[in-house]
Amino acid sequence: MNVIILYQHLVREWDASQRLRALYEEAGDNAIVCSIDFERVKAYKYAKKNIPDVILVPFFVDHEHEEWLSAFIDLNRDVKIINLHQEQIGSKFSVGLMLPRTPFTKNGSFHFAWGEYFKALLLSCGVKEENIIITGNSRNDFRNITHTDKKELASHYGLSPSKKWILFAENRGWYLGRNKEYTKRTLAPRGMTDEHFYRAVREEKENLDAFADQMRLLTEEFGREYEFIYRPHPGTVLHYELPKWVHIIADRPIYDWIACCDLFLTCESTSIFEAEMMGKPCAFVPSINIPDDDNKMAGVWDYPRLDRITEITDSLIERIRSENESRGTIYTRYLGEVDGNAASRIVAASRAVRDIAVDEADKVYSHATPKQLLRQFLYEKATWVTTKTGLLDRLKFPSSAYAEKRDIPYSPENAWISRITYNGGGGQLRFRLKPRVYISRQYFETSASSLAA
């Protein structure tokens, strides 16, 4: 069959998407991986020559998303849209924004849930049980596979391998980096009011300002003892200054960084579940109090709480490690089964649903207008030109592309994605050298040995 795999965030989904592609090809299928934001035209050109049987998407919520895929569905009315729901954990309010809203996004498509937690949420919004399949999260297949080690990361990013590494995974900044009017219009059909939107913007700014104030209290002495690695939220640009000795690094899959850190911190990033899963001492740092339970990230507030980053010492890290080890696991409730085989289950399940008939009443979908299609074409062209010429950073145009430049697959900043592609379900690697891509001998050795294990 012909498969199109659409992803949104490179650091979040690239590895998993490439492994899915390799597994499909190993099964004799045709598959392509494209960015849902920057390569829809490329995906459509592929679809015209290879009429799609299955399209995997990172989200599929409302009429706007139906319009994005309408040209593909017009090529094959029986194409199966599979929503991978790349964000399945959030606060009560934020999860509500991610759940499907229309008949087509609910039951004209299929939903792959990580576990029972998200399946229950899908059922609560009207998705039929037969349209939900529990597969696990294919991104978690990589928990024991990293592309590097601490020594190589230290060499490439100017870090000291002899210090303890503190990794802070950011989850804030999304609202601040968006065109407010456009974002309001986009989120309104999903239940977000203007009042709630501006509250979210205000609280996000207050939260980040408080965090920045905390970070400025850290001394250079702290920086001589620890390496502090700050990882911005995917699709965001930093809006405040941090001490010069803080390393702001957004590239590479997060598993590479978690594997090498000695302490994992976050405000409310759900990557804390992956950190616990990988056996790292982890804690959350709420810069401001969140009194409303509906706006608290599910599960994150169950981890050890660190009120001030200035409290970090070696003994505190060991205390957090001890708390994590003595407490029962938290991540299993939210991530589902983690056994390294989620991608294989996704491929098998998508092949199974290919021939399942969908009720005609659920297959009604919104169509993109010729003007909308032209706008997307021009947007992708403008993004390509400004990125390739280096004008994107200077002109900050297109503005939405600039805000999400770390997800542009052909950007020089994202050259790391060219290092490795998966070649077959057995996990073999195919390496491709490109200019300005750093690959050490140790990289080859550790990558090959990890996958062999």
Side-chain angles (χ1 to χ4, degrees):
M1 64 182 183
N2 296 321
V3 182
I4 296 175
I5 304 166
L6 298 175
Y7 69 90
Q8 184 179 35
H9 296 308
L10 283 170
V11 296
R12 184 179 70 181
E13 300 155 55
W14 179 256
D15 272 11
S17 297
Q18 290 300 324
R19 183 160 189 242
L20 285 170
R21 177 199 57 76
L23 287 170
Y24 279 117
E25 291 179 353
E26 188 177 72
D29 300 325
N30 300 311
I32 188 174
V33 176
C34 294
S35 165
I36 197 169
D37 293 316
F38 301 109
E39 294 181 317
R40 290 212 299 272
V41 174
K42 173 183 174 181
Y44 181 69
K45 289 179 180 178
Y46 175 87
K48 288 185 70 175
K49 295 180 180 179
N50 305 271
I51 304 300
D53 299 292
V54 167
I55 302 177
L56 305 179
V57 292
F59 47 75
F60 195 48
V61 176
D62 54 23
H63 292 294
E64 181 183 31
H65 297 160
E66 292 175 358
E67 292 166 356
W68 289 8
L69 298 184
S70 61
F72 297 87
I73 302 171
D74 289 344
L75 294 173
N76 177 14
R77 288 281 285 122
D78 292 322
V79 65
K80 297 303 185 294
I81 307 297
I82 296 174
N83 190 346
L84 294 181
H85 292 280
Q86 292 291 359
E87 295 187 41
Q88 300 194 12
I89 310 167
S91 65
K92 289 181 181 178
F93 180 78
S94 65
V95 165
L97 299 177
M98 299 185 290
L99 294 175
R101 293 266 169 177
T102 69
F104 191 88
T105 58
K106 288 181 182 180
N107 295 308
S109 57
F110 290 84
H111 307 263
F112 287 3
W114 301 342
E116 294 291 343
Y117 172 79
F118 192 68
K119 178 180 178 179
L121 294 175
L122 290 170
L123 291 171
S124 71
C125 76
V127 177
K128 299 173 184 175
E129 186 163 12
E130 58 265 32
N131 285 12
I132 306 170
I133 299 175
I134 292 179
T135 60
N137 183 354
S138 59
R139 305 199 308 260
N140 292 335
D141 287 355
F142 296 91
R143 69 169 178 168
N144 294 322
I145 301 175
T146 57
H147 305 146
T148 185
D149 63 9
K150 192 170 186 176
K151 186 176 180 180
E152 191 226 3
L153 287 178
S155 173
H156 192 52
Y157 293 98
L159 303 165
S160 170
S162 62
K163 296 180 183 178
K164 282 189 167 63
W165 289 13
I166 300 168
L167 174 63
F168 189 100
E170 185 60 88
N171 62 291
R172 300 159 294 191
W174 190 88
Y175 287 104
L176 292 176
R178 297 297 182 277
N179 177 291
K180 292 182 174 54
E181 292 305 315
Y182 173 78
T183 306
K184 279 195 306 179
R185 289 197 304 271
T186 300
L187 296 180
R190 305 181 203 172
M192 177 169 272
T193 64
D194 284 4
E195 178 184 358
H196 206 119
F197 175 81
Y198 284 116
R199 173 185 167 185
V201 172
R202 183 178 66 254
E203 289 185 352
E204 188 170 77
K205 185 177 187 308
E206 291 175 359
N207 206 327
L208 285 170
D209 286 346
F211 173 76
D213 289 342
Q214 277 197 48
M215 290 295 293
R216 293 187 192 104
L217 294 175
L218 294 176
T219 63
E220 289 190 14
E221 182 181 350
F222 182 92
R224 286 192 290 269
E225 187 172 354
Y226 301 100
E227 292 288 25
F228 197 102
I229 302 155
Y230 178 86
R231 183 179 175 86
H233 184 55
T236 64
V237 177
L238 206 62
H239 293 276
Y240 49 89
E241 290 187 7
L242 295 175
K244 292 182 180 179
W245 48 266
V246 170
H247 302 273
I248 302 170
I249 306 173
D251 62 345
R252 295 182 182 250
I254 195 165
Y255 288 110
D256 287 357
W257 293 103
I258 293 176
C260 296
C261 78
D262 298 283
L263 173 65
F264 179 93
L265 299 176
T266 185
C267 176
E268 286 193 308
S269 171
T270 56
S271 54
I272 196 170
F273 298 123
E274 281 87 358
E276 181 201 4
M277 177 181 67
M278 295 175 71
K280 297 295 179 176
C282 45
F284 80 106
V285 186
S287 301
I288 62 173
N289 189 37
I290 302 177
D292 189 349
D293 286 343
D294 286 350
N295 288 310
K296 289 183 178 179
M297 188 68 69
V300 173
W301 287 66
D302 296 331
Y303 289 92
R305 174 173 177 158
L306 182 62
D307 288 316
R308 291 195 171 275
I309 290 175
T310 51
E311 299 173 10
I312 295 173
T313 61
D314 286 359
S315 60
L316 176 72
I317 293 174
E318 290 308 310
R319 181 171 64 80
I320 291 174
R321 182 191 303 278
S322 177
E323 283 187 42
N324 289 162
E325 291 175 351
S326 61
R327 182 205 61 238
T329 59
I330 296 171
Y331 76 87
T332 49
R333 177 171 182 240
Y334 300 97
L335 299 185
E337 186 173 7
V338 181
D339 60 358
N341 296 313
S344 297
R345 286 191 289 269
I346 287 173
V347 171
S350 62
R351 293 174 68 83
V353 304
R354 176 184 54 176
D355 300 320
I356 295 178
V358 175
D359 290 345
E360 288 299 321
D362 295 324
K363 292 169 65 174
V364 178
Y365 57 97
S366 298
H367 286 74
T369 65
K371 183 178 179 180
Q372 288 174 310
L373 295 173
L374 176 62
R375 186 185 299 126
Q376 180 64 24
F377 174 80
L378 295 175
Y379 171 75
E380 291 188 19
K381 281 294 183 184
T383 299
W384 191 89
V385 169
T386 55
T387 300
K388 290 295 185 178
T389 58
L391 291 173
L392 183 62
D393 285 323
R394 292 172 59 187
L395 301 178
K396 296 180 174 56
F397 176 83
S399 59
S400 58
Y402 176 74
E404 300 176 15
K405 64 180 181 177
R406 293 199 178 276
D407 288 318
I408 300 175
Y410 43 81
S411 168
E413 293 184 32
N414 299 322
W416 60 269
I417 71 172
S418 301
R419 287 187 167 200
I420 174 176
T421 56
Y422 286 85
N423 184 18
Q428 299 94 347
L429 300 176
R430 180 169 66 245
F431 296 97
R432 300 182 300 169
L433 291 174
K434 287 192 174 183
R436 296 166 65 182
V437 176
Y438 168 85
I439 302 183
S440 68
R441 176 183 298 275
Q442 190 168 18
Y443 175 81
F444 281 93
E445 293 170 350
T446 55
S447 297
S449 61
S450 333
L451 285 170

